[in-house]
Amino acid sequence: MQRVKLGLSVLLVATVLLMGVTFARLNTVHAEGGLDPQIIQDRGVAPELTNDTWINSDKPLRLADLRGKVVLLDFWTFGCYNCQNTLPYIKDDYAKYKPLGVEFIGIHFPETAYEHDVNNVRQYVKDNGITYPVAIDNDGKAWNDYEMHAWPAFIIVDKAGHIRYRQIGEGSYDTIAKVLDTLNAEPAPENVSVEKPYKMSDNPLLSNTYGAAPELTNDTWINSDKPLRLADLHGKVVLLEFWTFGCYNCKNTLPAMKSFQDKYSDKGLVIIGDHFPEFGYERELANVQEFVKTEGIKYAVALDNDGAVWGAYHQRYWPTMYLIDKRGQIRYVAIGEHDYSRTEEAINALLSE
């Protein structure tokens, strides 16, 4: 983490100058008024906001409920000089684009102790006439989910919930406006209903939201004639289990997993086993295929020999179960052997959403 500051040393000045050249090149606006296509490329699904404490909003905001709208996220902290410099531009843009349906959200991630005090943030927001919602990110969850490194930073999310623009540092306000104009002119996805946002279950098992589930990138699959991708499974509930066939505890989860498959596969549940091996013999496709056949596993199994998906989920233990809701958000995690009736209860609650 670092705060963008000026005049600290010749080296820092040189670095800032080089960054400025880079941002100028990346944010090039064509003379004819159009944007360089690289500026608004699709960078994937935006991680969900899980902040509980908000200013200028009577309830926590979630990106899933803002589908159909363009959203600008401003990562800042009130003691940051550079953040203060961006404020007039952001306030002007908010006044211009709010009536057009664009949402602005400030994500306040503090650096110093006095910036952690919510009362201090509230006072700053009030004194500076900030009227858009501000999320308090004292635990750094949103900051880390969006891989932030410096204040200020801007993320623009399109109507489908995908990141389309990312900027670190001051400047390029004309480009930000052009991106907002361009994305706001795009049609909303046909399957998005702004009037009827996704209604989440109030089951306490699902009270935590862990953000967007990383995509599956596995190429080799068993019990599936093609690689499965979470993006293609929106509208379904997904049970993803990380396992390996030589793991004693993983074997003990099989009765529950097969029961879930039999009871819920025709009701909207998709079960996927991500097989990440520990030992050499577990890396052999033929050995995994034989185990799957012998144990009568009917759900899809993805081979994760390179650990790409295991790493994307920051996995450490076999077995681990994830429940992913119909929007692609992780809503439930169970590590190791456990009371499977709780998992079944969570499955039913998600299917009813």
Side-chain angles (χ1 to χ4, degrees):
M1 297 183 300
Q2 64 178 5
R3 190 189 299 252
V4 178
K5 295 179 179 177
L6 302 177
L8 295 181
S9 67
V10 174
L11 178 60
L12 182 55
V13 170
T15 302
V16 172
L17 287 174
L18 286 173
M19 289 176 64
V21 171
T22 301
F23 288 133
R25 177 175 60 81
L26 290 175
N27 290 341
T28 299
V29 179
H30 293 313
E32 62 271 21
L35 282 169
D36 184 326
Q38 292 300 312
I39 295 297
I40 53 173
Q41 60 181 299
D42 193 329
R43 293 166 171 82
V45 176
E48 184 57 274
L49 302 178
T50 59
N51 313 73
D52 293 323
T53 303
W54 289 73
I55 302 171
N56 293 337
S57 179
D58 57 3
K59 64 178 181 179
L61 300 182
R62 300 293 181 248
L63 295 180
D65 298 330
L66 297 175
R67 295 290 191 267
K69 294 189 175 186
V70 175
V71 181
L72 181 144
L73 302 178
D74 174 16
F75 286 84
W76 70 298
T77 184
F78 73 81
C80 164
Y81 176 79
N82 305 92
C83 299
Q84 294 168 12
N85 289 344
T86 68
L87 190 52
Y89 299 96
I90 300 304
K91 288 166 62 177
D92 286 347
D93 280 349
Y94 179 64
K96 174 182 176 181
Y97 289 101
K98 175 62 176 177
L100 302 179
V102 178
E103 297 288 342
F104 281 55
I105 296 175
I107 310 293
H108 188 272
F109 175 67
E111 181 180 25
T112 59
Y114 76 99
E115 294 169 330
H116 275 78
D117 191 322
V118 177
N119 290 326
N120 291 340
V121 186
R122 291 185 191 279
Q123 190 62 49
Y124 184 90
V125 167
K126 179 181 178 181
D127 291 345
N128 287 272
I130 299 172
T131 56
Y132 49 84
V134 173
I136 302 300
D137 195 36
N138 282 357
D139 62 359
K141 179 68 165 58
W143 177 275
N144 291 324
D145 285 347
Y146 281 85
E147 300 179 347
M148 288 290 115
H149 305 291
W151 306 265
F154 304 98
I155 298 289
I156 300 181
V157 181
D158 68 13
K159 296 176 182 179
H162 285 222
I163 297 173
R164 299 286 293 281
Y165 180 78
R166 180 182 176 97
Q167 174 185 317
I168 298 176
E170 298 182 57
S172 301
Y173 303 113
D174 288 343
T175 302
I176 290 175
K178 287 181 178 291
V179 172
L180 291 175
D181 287 333
T182 300
L183 297 184
N184 208 37
E186 292 182 349
E190 293 182 0
N191 62 341
V192 171
S193 173
V194 179
E195 293 75 21
K196 296 180 180 179
Y198 189 87
K199 182 173 176 56
M200 297 171 63
S201 168
D202 58 3
N203 190 303
L205 289 174
L206 305 174
S207 59
N208 293 321
T209 300
Y210 301 91
E215 185 55 276
L216 305 178
T217 57
N218 317 68
D219 293 322
T220 304
W221 290 72
I222 301 170
N223 292 339
S224 178
D225 56 5
K226 65 178 181 180
L228 300 182
R229 299 293 181 252
L230 295 179
D232 299 326
L233 295 175
H234 283 192
K236 302 279 189 179
V237 175
V238 178
L239 169 55
L240 174 65
E241 181 187 36
F242 288 90
W243 71 298
T244 183
F245 75 81
C247 164
Y248 177 81
N249 304 94
C250 298
K251 293 176 183 177
N252 290 343
T253 71
L254 281 177
M257 292 289 287
K258 292 192 286 187
S259 174
F260 296 154
Q261 171 72 13
D262 291 341
K263 294 168 68 173
Y264 299 108
S265 62
D266 61 349
K267 297 179 180 179
L269 178 69
V270 176
I271 299 181
I272 297 174
D274 184 273
H275 187 272
F276 176 67
E278 182 177 16
F279 301 110
Y281 72 95
E282 295 170 325
R283 303 179 67 87
E284 297 295 328
L285 172 60
N287 291 341
V288 185
Q289 289 175 321
E290 181 61 29
F291 183 89
V292 168
K293 179 180 179 181
T294 300
E295 293 294 331
I297 297 172
K298 299 177 183 179
Y299 50 84
V301 173
L303 268 67
D304 194 21
N305 282 359
D306 62 0
V309 178
W310 174 275
Y313 281 78
H314 304 291
Q315 273 300 113
R316 297 177 61 190
Y317 307 105
W318 302 271
T320 301
M321 294 183 188
Y322 289 81
L323 283 176
I324 302 167
D325 70 16
K326 298 174 183 179
R327 307 162 301 165
Q329 302 292 313
I330 297 173
R331 299 282 298 284
Y332 174 90
V333 181
I335 298 174
E337 298 184 56
H338 60 281
D339 181 356
Y340 303 112
S341 66
R342 291 171 59 85
T343 300
E344 185 166 13
E345 181 182 345
I347 289 171
N348 277 298
L350 289 178
L351 288 173
S352 69
E353 290 187 343

